[in-house]
Amino acid sequence: MVAVTIECIKTCAQTGARLGRVHTPHGSFDTPAFMPVGTLATVKTMSPDELIGIDAHIILSNTYHLLLRPGHDVVREAGGLHAFMQWPRPILTDSGGFQVFSLSAVRQVTEEGVHFRNHLNGDRIFLGPREAIDIQHALGADIIMAFDECAPHDASESYIEASVRRTTRWAEACLRAHTRADTQALFAIVQGGLSPVQRVASARDLTAMDFPGYAIGGLSVGESKEQLYGVLDTVVPLLPTRRPRYLMGVGSPDALIEGAMRGIDMFDCVLPTRIARNGTVMTSTGRLVLKKSQYARDFRPIDASCTCPTCRTHTRAYVRHLLHAGEVLGIRLTTVHNVHFLLTLMRNIREAIAHDRLASFKEEFFAAYGMHAGHRGF
Amino acid sequence: MVAVTIECIKTCAQTGARLGRVHTPHGSFDTPAFMPVGTLATVKTMSPDELIGIDAHIILSNTYHLLLRPGHDVVREAGGLHAFMQWPRPILTDSGGFQVFSLSAVRQVTEEGVHFRNHLNGDRIFLGPREAIDIQHALGADIIMAFDECAPHDASESYIEASVRRTTRWAEACLRAHTRADTQALFAIVQGGLSPVQRVASARDLTAMDFPGYAIGGLSVGESKEQLYGVLDTVVPLLPTRRPRYLMGVGSPDALIEGAMRGIDMFDCVLPTRIARNGTVMTSTGRLVLKKSQYARDFRPIDASCTCPTCRTHTRAYVRHLLHAGEVLGIRLTTVHNVHFLLTLMRNIREAIAHDRLASFKEEFFAAYGMHAGHRGF
């Protein structure tokens, strides 16, 4: 029995985007879905109740960070991540691969895995496919990820080729180590940088192993939106339609729409929570930088058309005051708003797919948000 | 018409403590009451909804801090502090006197008020009785405080005498400036340091002016608990029984009980919120320092007998992890718990008064909490 399945409900006649529902041992969620990031077993500043209140149905947590703090053994003793953080709905954990390659300056890649130093205290750590799976078993997420190498943005074609081959071998090793396929679904990660040849090779090799889901990794690392969409155009057609497709680390509003149009079912990104902590909020008419003096006496909600708890209750002037004073409630209010904004965007995307009008929705959204062709921001 | 009145329900036969209910334009609260401190128009880390959820009925906010950020004119434009922070229940604002004398190193005291420097940017500011009342009119709290001088802990008898006389003249000036007695109640503040003679003089002079409430100020500034209780024993008998009595800046569990036993109706203190941000929590069996390693795998709630949202949902191990990782949710959970702890203590004190057994309750509470005669902590 496979732990996680996707029910494909329909495709958008205008774009080919997929409307679906993913079923997991901790409940279902509608796709295309955005997963808020709870790196250290908490979506920064938010309680589980608040996440449920704004209709979050799945969150992501980071294996590497939980390995360091509090340690996966503590989470196992607590009864897994769901019990530890008291989040009753689906969780996806990444494999730690991305963090090993992005956070750790000193590392040595071998066939068995990666020797690197803990970015907090410099301790030596080894992480390979077997370790990544063992840790993710301890964490107990519904969806777990294969250990992969995320090659540097500027890697040579020959390095990418070797890296993709290794990532495929590691995916096989993960599959062998994964003894709990009935309760946790192991997704493979297609790598290959910006090389169409290597992306195709990676997708072909991994789909041959029939994983219950496929991610596209190694993106959102500095490439242009055009390059990102180009990789999706190369890879997605090679993925099986009966499996969920997850675009890792991408969550700007434009990329969520463009990704959905290219057949992506799941997304995650720290964007909404990270920019919230700097006081930047997304609204139906574009971004606001709330610390600006122009909002000091602005007693309107952040977004008059928004139904989030922040906009239902508080003014721009109050939130700005809290942000300026360094009050925690300020970043709580902006975080709730931004996560709600992306969850609402996904609901609107799903509704547009249901009505075969995602391309029209994209035009309307971009116009209201102030986006244009070649727009690079969020 | 007086904006704020106290209804005296009964006195404890065992101790003389008062059980009452204070009525304000924004509703009533039971006394003895603890007021959580919302310095900058927010009880640090908490939302108004959460405060209501743990049954907070009145909060305190600080005039001096709001004068600097966001400015009382912004709060006035928002429609007052209740509207600005969306807190529908009673609010008390202090006069700024305490902060002027405790936060500002450079100051010059004149008959009209105090010239001092903004502790954030060094700007020159002048605050006197008229200014303090004008600002508190803009803030619109239900209970506002007279502008007073909080003399230094080590001031000479002659300095304290001059300071008390000036505080009395400032109280008269506040009364003259206060044109909104029907919507905001102006409380006077008894000063006099540790001098019984000056405390008596201050109480006599101020009660002669018939304020709708009286505070005892200048305490919790380094004196011993015995000295604190000595001042209460001197002052409280001189205060009119038909007016609320407010002990400023005191909120340790033992002092709340001892203060109630001496006839105090209202208290405020940053203690529960401040220690929460360091990871210290109060429980029915004493304090816990949650960052300690002994809690890393402790999957019990902070206090098994506690009904707060934190204890109903989360474990010591999870809260400790969040605190160690610097996650905002950690200090949210400890803050909610600590404020709930003191609000519950006040409810238990009121129930003990109702049953004429506050002295017995004190013995039971102290024994469970690990306090003893001469205990100096919290």
Side-chain angles (χ1 to χ4, degrees):
Chain A
M1 194 196 133
V2 181
V4 169
T5 57
I6 186 165
E7 174 190 350
C8 293
I9 295 170
K10 83 180 287 287
T11 56
C12 172
Q14 212 177 35
T15 63
R18 289 147 58 104
L19 182 69
R21 183 168 294 137
V22 171
H23 303 287
T24 87
H26 287 87
S28 304
F29 58 90
D30 294 330
T31 59
F34 176 77
M35 302 181 281
V37 177
T39 296
L40 279 155
T42 165
V43 173
K44 288 193 189 303
T45 83
M46 293 187 71
S47 70
D49 275 359
E50 287 167 336
L51 282 164
I52 286 176
I54 60 171
D55 227 21
H57 280 271
I58 174 170
I59 62 170
L60 176 147
S61 204
N62 295 112
T63 288
Y64 169 83
H65 292 285
L66 293 171
L67 169 66
L68 304 193
R69 292 180 301 193
H72 60 293
D73 49 340
V74 169
V75 178
R76 183 197 285 119
E77 270 189 56
L81 201 47
H82 292 89
F84 184 59
M85 66 181 290
Q86 286 292 298
W87 171 254
R89 296 183 174 180
I91 300 176
L92 181 150
T93 48
D94 65 5
S95 64
F98 182 79
Q99 282 75 25
V100 167
F101 289 96
S102 62
L103 288 179
S104 175
V106 185
R107 60 176 177 265
Q108 187 200 347
V109 183
T110 72
E111 184 58 25
E112 287 70 38
V114 189
H115 295 272
F116 61 99
R117 288 184 182 277
N118 173 335
H119 77 287
L120 296 176
N121 63 12
D123 282 357
R124 287 170 183 280
I125 303 184
F126 177 78
L127 209 56
R130 172 166 291 281
E131 291 74 17
I133 295 299
D134 284 350
I135 298 167
Q136 290 184 91
H137 284 169
L139 300 177
D142 303 272
I143 300 173
I144 67 178
M145 302 302 298
F147 189 71
D148 61 331
E149 177 174 357
C150 183
H153 184 46
D154 54 358
S156 66
E157 181 81 12
S158 65
Y159 186 91
I160 295 175
E161 181 178 1
S163 171
V164 163
R165 296 264 166 89
R166 188 160 44 230
T167 291
T168 298
R169 291 191 298 273
W170 285 351
E172 287 173 331
C174 286
L175 209 50
R176 281 194 302 274
H178 184 43
T179 52
R180 303 189 185 180
D182 54 334
T183 56
Q184 298 182 279
L186 172 65
F187 283 21
I189 304 176
V190 175
Q191 288 286 354
L194 298 177
S195 161
V197 172
Q198 299 309 326
R199 285 282 175 183
V200 168
S202 180
R204 292 248 158 91
D205 291 347
L206 294 172
T207 53
M209 286 185 260
D210 194 23
F211 284 85
Y214 292 90
I216 303 174
L219 293 170
S220 212
V221 292
E223 78 284 352
S224 71
K225 288 280 168 72
E226 290 67 28
Q227 291 173 314
L228 163 62
Y229 303 147
V231 171
L232 299 188
D233 291 335
T234 302
V235 173
V236 174
L238 304 175
L239 301 178
T241 56
R242 72 191 186 287
R243 301 297 192 206
R245 303 157 178 169
Y246 160 31
L247 176 56
M248 304 183 82
V250 170
S252 61
D254 51 339
L256 291 171
I257 299 172
E258 297 278 0
M261 288 173 62
R262 287 166 174 81
I264 297 296
D265 306 304
M266 300 163 59
F267 303 85
D268 81 284
C269 193
V270 295
L271 177 95
T273 45
R274 182 169 289 168
I275 66 173
R277 296 197 300 281
N278 293 324
T280 298
V281 287
M282 295 177 277
T283 80
S284 52
T285 55
R287 271 179 298 163
L288 301 182
V289 179
L290 281 179
K291 282 190 178 174
K292 285 186 180 172
S293 60
Q294 71 191 91
Y295 302 117
R297 291 154 192 274
D298 188 336
F299 300 108
R300 294 174 295 175
I302 290 173
D303 187 342
S305 69
C306 177
T307 60
C308 85
T310 302
C311 290
R312 283 203 312 266
T313 310
H314 296 292
T315 62
R316 295 173 178 181
Y318 182 60
V319 178
R320 177 185 185 272
H321 157 66
L322 297 174
L323 294 169
H324 266 274
E327 288 287 351
V328 160
L329 183 58
I331 60 173
R332 285 183 57 187
L333 295 175
T334 53
T335 299
V336 166
H337 172 83
N338 277 351
V339 175
H340 177 273
F341 180 83
L342 288 192
L343 295 175
T344 301
L345 172 60
M346 299 316 292
R347 199 175 307 116
N348 292 339
I349 288 173
R350 292 193 298 267
E351 191 167 306
I353 298 171
H355 292 88
D356 295 312
R357 61 181 308 280
L358 184 56
S360 308
F361 171 79
K362 171 188 152 184
E363 276 183 33
E364 294 157 10
F365 180 88
F366 276 36
Y369 202 84
M371 281 174 167
H372 49 82
H375 182 90
R376 300 180 57 85
F378 50 83
Chain B
M1 194 198 134
V2 181
V4 169
T5 56
I6 186 164
E7 173 191 351
C8 293
I9 295 170
K10 84 179 288 286
T11 56
C12 172
Q14 212 177 35
T15 61
R18 290 147 57 103
L19 182 69
R21 184 167 293 137
V22 170
H23 304 286
T24 86
H26 287 86
S28 304
F29 58 91
D30 295 330
T31 58
F34 175 78
M35 302 181 281
V37 177
T39 296
L40 280 156
T42 165
V43 173
K44 288 192 190 304
T45 81
M46 294 186 69
S47 71
D49 274 0
E50 287 166 337
L51 283 164
I52 286 175
I54 59 171
D55 227 21
H57 280 270
I58 173 170
I59 61 169
L60 176 147
S61 205
N62 295 113
T63 289
Y64 169 82
H65 291 285
L66 292 172
L67 168 65
L68 305 192
R69 292 180 300 192
H72 61 293
D73 49 340
V74 169
V75 178
R76 183 197 286 119
E77 270 188 57
L81 201 47
H82 292 89
F84 184 59
M85 66 181 290
Q86 286 292 298
W87 170 255
R89 295 182 175 182
I91 301 177
L92 181 149
T93 48
D94 65 5
S95 64
F98 181 79
Q99 282 74 26
V100 168
F101 289 96
S102 63
L103 287 179
S104 175
V106 185
R107 59 177 177 265
Q108 187 200 348
V109 184
T110 71
E111 184 58 25
E112 287 70 38
V114 189
H115 296 272
F116 63 99
R117 288 184 183 279
N118 173 335
H119 78 287
L120 296 176
N121 64 11
D123 282 356
R124 287 170 184 279
I125 303 184
F126 177 78
L127 210 55
R130 172 166 291 282
E131 291 74 17
I133 295 300
D134 284 350
I135 297 167
Q136 290 184 90
H137 283 168
L139 300 177
D142 303 272
I143 300 174
I144 66 177
M145 302 303 296
F147 189 71
D148 61 330
E149 177 173 357
C150 183
H153 184 44
D154 55 358
S156 67
E157 181 81 11
S158 66
Y159 187 91
I160 295 175
E161 181 177 1
S163 170
V164 163
R165 297 265 166 89
R166 188 161 44 232
T167 291
T168 298
R169 291 192 297 275
W170 285 351
E172 287 173 330
C174 285
L175 210 50
R176 281 195 302 274
H178 184 42
T179 52
R180 304 188 186 179
D182 55 334
T183 56
Q184 297 182 277
L186 173 65
F187 283 21
I189 304 174
V190 175
Q191 288 286 356
L194 298 177
S195 162
V197 172
Q198 299 309 327
R199 285 283 176 182
V200 168
S202 180
R204 292 246 158 92
D205 291 347
L206 294 172
T207 53
M209 286 186 258
D210 194 23
F211 283 85
Y214 292 90
I216 303 175
L219 293 171
S220 212
V221 293
E223 78 285 352
S224 70
K225 288 280 168 71
E226 290 68 29
Q227 291 173 314
L228 164 62
Y229 303 147
V231 171
L232 299 187
D233 290 335
T234 301
V235 173
V236 174
L238 304 175
L239 301 178
T241 56
R242 70 189 188 289
R243 302 295 193 209
R245 303 157 179 170
Y246 160 33
L247 176 56
M248 304 182 82
V250 170
S252 62
D254 52 338
L256 291 171
I257 299 173
E258 297 279 0
M261 289 174 63
R262 287 165 175 80
I264 297 295
D265 306 304
M266 299 162 60
F267 303 84
D268 81 283
C269 194
V270 296
L271 177 95
T273 45
R274 181 169 291 168
I275 66 174
R277 296 196 300 281
N278 292 323
T280 298
V281 288
M282 295 178 277
T283 80
S284 52
T285 55
R287 271 179 296 163
L288 302 182
V289 179
L290 281 179
K291 282 189 179 175
K292 285 185 179 172
S293 59
Q294 70 190 91
Y295 302 117
R297 292 154 192 274
D298 187 336
F299 301 109
R300 294 174 296 175
I302 290 172
D303 186 343
S305 70
C306 177
T307 60
C308 85
T310 302
C311 289
R312 283 203 312 265
T313 309
H314 296 292
T315 62
R316 295 173 178 182
Y318 182 61
V319 177
R320 176 185 185 274
H321 158 65
L322 296 175
L323 293 169
H324 264 276
E327 288 287 351
V328 161
L329 183 59
I331 60 172
R332 287 183 56 185
L333 295 175
T334 54
T335 298
V336 167
H337 172 84
N338 277 351
V339 175
H340 177 272
F341 180 83
L342 288 192
L343 295 175
T344 302
L345 173 60
M346 300 316 292
R347 199 175 307 116
N348 292 339
I349 289 173
R350 293 194 298 267
E351 192 167 305
I353 297 172
H355 293 88
D356 295 311
R357 61 181 310 279
L358 185 55
S360 308
F361 172 78
K362 171 188 152 184
E363 277 183 33
E364 294 157 11
F365 180 87
F366 276 37
Y369 202 85
M371 282 174 167
H372 49 80
H375 182 91
R376 300 178 56 85
F378 49 82

